[in-house]
Amino acid sequence: MADFISIENCRVSSTSKTIIEKIDWHFKSGEAWLVTGANGSGKEDFIKALSSSSRHFVPNASGTDVALFSSAFEGSVEVVSLEAAASLIEEERESDESDYMDRIDEGRTGRRFIAEALGDKTAKNAPLSDVAKRLETLPQVKLCGVEKILDRGLKFMSTGEIRRTLLCRALLSGKKLLILSDPFAGLDAESRKILLEFFDTVVSRQKSEKNDGAFPHVILCMERMTEIPSGINRVLEFSHNRVSFCGSRDDYALLLQKREREKAEKRDGEKSAFASELSKIQKDDVICVKHEIQEKTPLVEFHGVNVGWSGHKVLDNIDWTVFKGEHWLIRGPNGSGKTTLLELVTGDNQQVYANDVRLFGKRRGTGETIWDIKAKMGIVSYRLHVDYRMIGGFDLESVIISGFHDSIGLYEQKTDIEVQAARKWLALGGFSGREGESFGSLSYGEQRAILILRAAVKQPPLLILDEPCHGLDEDFRQKILDLMEIVAESGTTTILHVTHDPTEVLKAEKHILELHPGESPMYRILESE
């Protein structure tokens, strides 16, 4: 079998720093690879080296040993990831011209963005080119299920819709190798089905000697061994910046079963120790302002709420009330308005002022500032993550402390008490001794974990979690779910939680707000069993 990629006795380096010491790996025809590993394990650096993005394979100088790197995909690699989606939103926000227009700048639509991959250089406000007009006829567009969102602005798409749009553009880019990094994160059931069908189609062609080149080769990169397409037959795993497994899928499955048995034996003790440490931190904490909220005072009230833009109705006549101690699961398909609904609560959507939205007993727009509102909230969202990525280089200690001040970044002098509290929370989350590291230097999943700790640090009356486990490996994910469960049981914090993953639903989430776009009414309020 021919080698598409050959790596022998090489290391991964960035400038003068070695990140992964030694790699021996071959990608041959007939193989479909999964690359996996924990957050910060070296997996992301390996992928960046394959795509020639700030990481490089360098031969190890070790006497007479042969060192080799060769790739049939050199210069023709596309990565579709949560990080790429975040970068796209950063780009759209930086080019937003709404402040200079008499309307909201919609920015690039999915149609124009995808057409760029086909050589369309038309400006965003110019008439559509012939290439852009015929996108619906292309099999790649149908395969990714983006026909209905082609004319929506990228900044108005849900996370799942952006991921599918990125995938469609990558398929049309002409690149020979497509790396899908954590592709199922944040996707609803229908989108997952579309992606699995896509992967099966591409992999069947990839493994066939009759591959006609119409579709690229694919490498799947996942944080966790879940929802792995049946076509995957080889696994490369990284741990602690080294290769920890390279072999068949069946052998890897046996290794995981052994690890799971060992982990299950320790699980109860670890959870108990985690809960004990968290309880101690909460009792010792002298920073948090205790917000006195009466038991029967609603934390959130929506009365006939309507939101839309550019003729697209997102929320339609929503009536919804949240009382203290009611933990809510918010669910619905991609693009159904879940994030928009939460942004009305957090104040990040300006249409809140055109609606009857009440928080902590007061209607928005009747005198309170955004800071008055956010002082009572902890927030984890895609928007917050993008905001933190855009400002760059704050250290982890500062990011945690910023949770006390409700700021993006820290612009005040740290107090000794804040530093002490931040380091306790970092240790709780598995970041002990890393307080001086830059937020921007972390993997996407590690960044997400830090933002969850930042949200919880002040023990707010209302904790808003929009797909909090995006990009988290199994260990981080379990730790965060334990944290959320313990916070829910504390009685001091009420949780609003968006997730598509049924394994992430908390036992405490007895109330469900389910969105059904296009139906009337467009929502249902349910009780869990």
XYZ file of all heavy atoms in Angstrom, residues 12 20 59 134 146 160 229 315 337 389 409 446 479 498:
103
model
N 7.910 17.462 16.769
C 7.131 18.651 16.417
C 7.699 19.834 17.165
O 7.858 19.794 18.388
C 5.638 18.465 16.783
C 4.866 19.759 16.558
C 5.027 17.338 15.952
N 6.609 17.944 20.802
C 6.468 16.485 20.839
C 7.816 15.888 20.443
O 8.332 16.176 19.365
C 5.359 16.003 19.892
C 4.017 16.671 20.232
C 5.211 14.488 19.970
C 2.908 16.345 19.253
N 13.376 16.717 11.717
C 14.097 15.453 11.955
C 14.867 15.481 13.270
O 15.458 16.509 13.632
C 15.052 15.365 10.757
C 14.442 16.248 9.714
C 13.773 17.366 10.457
N -25.470 29.373 -8.006
C -25.742 27.966 -8.305
C -25.285 27.002 -7.208
O -25.228 25.787 -7.425
C -25.089 27.579 -9.636
C -23.573 27.657 -9.653
C -23.016 27.256 -11.013
N -21.571 27.377 -11.051
C -20.724 26.428 -10.645
N -21.203 25.298 -10.152
N -19.425 26.610 -10.730
N -26.698 22.592 4.108
C -26.677 24.042 4.360
C -27.536 24.840 3.382
O -27.491 26.077 3.387
C -25.218 24.583 4.320
C -24.390 23.984 5.441
C -24.562 24.326 2.967
N -23.504 25.132 15.436
C -23.620 23.969 14.567
C -23.733 24.356 13.103
O -23.155 23.700 12.225
N -17.343 7.065 13.574
C -17.920 6.374 12.413
C -17.328 4.980 12.235
O -16.158 4.739 12.556
C -17.542 7.295 11.242
C -17.365 8.642 11.865
C -16.792 8.377 13.226
N -37.242 34.020 17.688
C -38.092 33.681 18.831
C -39.469 34.281 18.596
O -39.585 35.442 18.198
C -37.494 34.214 20.137
C -36.117 33.663 20.539
C -35.633 34.338 21.823
C -36.150 32.151 20.711
N -32.731 29.120 18.210
C -32.824 30.334 19.025
C -32.362 30.170 20.458
O -32.561 31.066 21.282
N -10.711 35.107 23.362
C -9.704 34.800 22.340
C -9.238 36.073 21.637
O -8.063 36.199 21.264
C -10.287 33.817 21.319
C -10.403 32.389 21.828
C -11.195 31.540 20.846
N -10.636 31.626 19.509
C -9.651 30.869 19.055
N -9.108 29.945 19.841
N -9.209 30.994 17.820
N -11.142 40.087 30.563
C -9.798 40.507 30.933
C -9.833 41.190 32.295
O -10.907 41.461 32.845
N -9.056 23.338 26.973
C -8.532 23.882 28.226
C -9.058 25.293 28.459
O -9.387 25.669 29.589
C -7.004 23.887 28.189
C -6.371 22.517 28.302
C -4.867 22.563 28.189
O -4.355 23.171 27.219
O -4.186 22.020 29.063
N -15.146 16.171 35.212
C -14.891 17.081 36.328
C -15.852 18.271 36.278
O -16.391 18.695 37.315
C -13.436 17.557 36.280
C -13.009 18.368 37.480
C -11.505 18.584 37.492
C -10.764 17.322 37.805
N -9.320 17.524 38.031
N -27.742 24.824 28.211
C -27.980 24.386 26.836
C -26.995 23.276 26.493
O -25.785 23.433 26.675
C -27.800 25.547 25.831
C -27.762 25.017 24.400
C -28.921 26.564 25.973
